[in-house]
Amino acid sequence: MRVAITGASGRMGQTLIDSVAGRAGVELAGLTDTPGSPWYGRTVAGLPVSDDAAAAFAAAHVAVDFTVPAATRAHAELAATHATALVVGTTGLDAQDQAAISAAAAHVPVVQAANFSLGVNLLAALVQQAAERLGTDWDIEILEMHHRHKVDAPSGTALALGAAAARGRGGDLDTLRAGPRDGITGPREPGQIGFAALRGGDVAGEHSVIFAGTKERLELTHKATDRAIFAEGALHAALWAAEPGRAPGLYSMADVLGIG
């Protein structure tokens, strides 16, 4: 299986390269990044790191994309053009970005997730179940912490957990999400789903979903100690998406893991 990796110089790009090197039956087909990035123009794992994403996609069975929204839009179009399966881990996407991904999914298999770890995806299923069973007198708050370099907040994983909680309550996150809290905000409104984001150090990712009731509290937590788990999960998703006969469509990690 031939895999292209976009954003090769990034944290996830580097970890993905290491994961491919350790996986039998998988080889790198292309590495891309933007001019000025740390590895641009260098040879890594026997391949040049260039900005020729079209060539990388054309040479690959599947591409793995952990970049920025504008790049992801372009990569989605390339995936459709070259019939290359796609795995998307980019976060901070808006409606236009999502539309481009959905358009590509009409032509090729696309696996999109905010988090590719098995533990987090199981956590989302548990959060939905808990939200289904606990009434709105149980307040839901989601706390996440990441390394100092992360640029978006709340994290994509935190938002995905919030969406799972909202589904459990028969609603959608856009409606139930609490606004930012700063200053005199007034009391908490019943049924809202709140978020808090912490940034510092080299934290790979920690997420807690807190169900706060009267006289008791339930907390569901996942802590990542090595971002290699995300790369391994993304590579697992890539191999799944690129299997012969996989129908075009927009898939989640729940589909990949069979826990949906």
Side-chain angles (χ1 to χ4, degrees):
M1 194 70 67
R2 294 176 59 80
V3 180
I5 296 174
T6 63
S9 305
R11 290 168 175 265
M12 277 302 299
Q14 294 182 35
T15 308
L16 281 161
I17 292 169
D18 291 339
S19 294
V20 170
R23 182 72 68 94
V26 183
E27 64 180 35
L28 291 170
L31 301 174
T32 75
D33 220 322
T34 56
S37 64
W39 284 3
Y40 184 79
R42 290 176 51 186
T43 297
V44 176
L47 291 172
V49 178
S50 77
D51 57 355
D52 191 352
F57 275 66
H61 296 110
V62 60
V64 183
D65 182 68
F66 283 81
T67 53
V68 296
T72 295
R73 287 200 303 273
H75 295 153
E77 294 173 2
L78 286 173
T81 298
H82 295 285
T84 306
L86 181 64
V87 172
V88 177
T90 303
T91 57
L93 303 171
D94 62 18
Q96 182 182 4
D97 305 324
Q98 194 59 53
I101 294 168
S102 297
H107 302 281
V108 296
V110 178
V111 178
Q112 182 181 12
N115 192 301
F116 285 88
S117 87
L118 173 60
V120 162
N121 284 279
L122 288 172
L123 173 62
L126 294 172
V127 167
Q128 182 169 339
Q129 290 179 24
E132 286 173 354
R133 288 160 174 76
L134 300 175
T136 54
D137 55 333
W138 289 69
D139 299 321
I140 301 176
E141 293 287 322
I142 299 172
L143 174 66
E144 57 98 343
M145 183 170 186
H146 285 82
H147 54 85
R148 63 169 64 96
H149 302 290
K150 187 167 179 61
V151 298
D152 59 313
S155 69
T157 299
L159 293 172
L161 293 171
R167 287 194 301 273
R169 292 218 163 145
D172 65 85
L173 185 59
D174 288 341
T175 301
L176 297 178
R177 181 176 176 179
R181 297 185 182 117
D182 186 22
I184 306 301
T185 61
R188 192 185 198 284
E189 294 185 15
Q192 285 191 329
I193 298 172
F195 292 86
L198 308 179
R199 295 289 177 267
D202 62 353
V203 178
E206 298 183 2
H207 295 85
S208 292
V209 182
I210 302 165
F211 294 85
T214 302
K215 300 180 181 178
E216 60 181 326
R217 186 168 69 246
L218 171 65
E219 297 184 11
L220 301 174
T221 298
H222 178 271
K223 296 183 179 182
T225 58
D226 191 326
R227 66 176 39 86
I229 64 170
F230 308 127
E232 291 163 4
L235 185 56
H236 181 78
L239 298 179
W240 183 89
E243 285 181 357
R246 184 70 64 198
L250 183 57
Y251 299 98
S252 68
M253 277 300 284
D255 298 312
V256 175
L257 299 171
I259 60 174

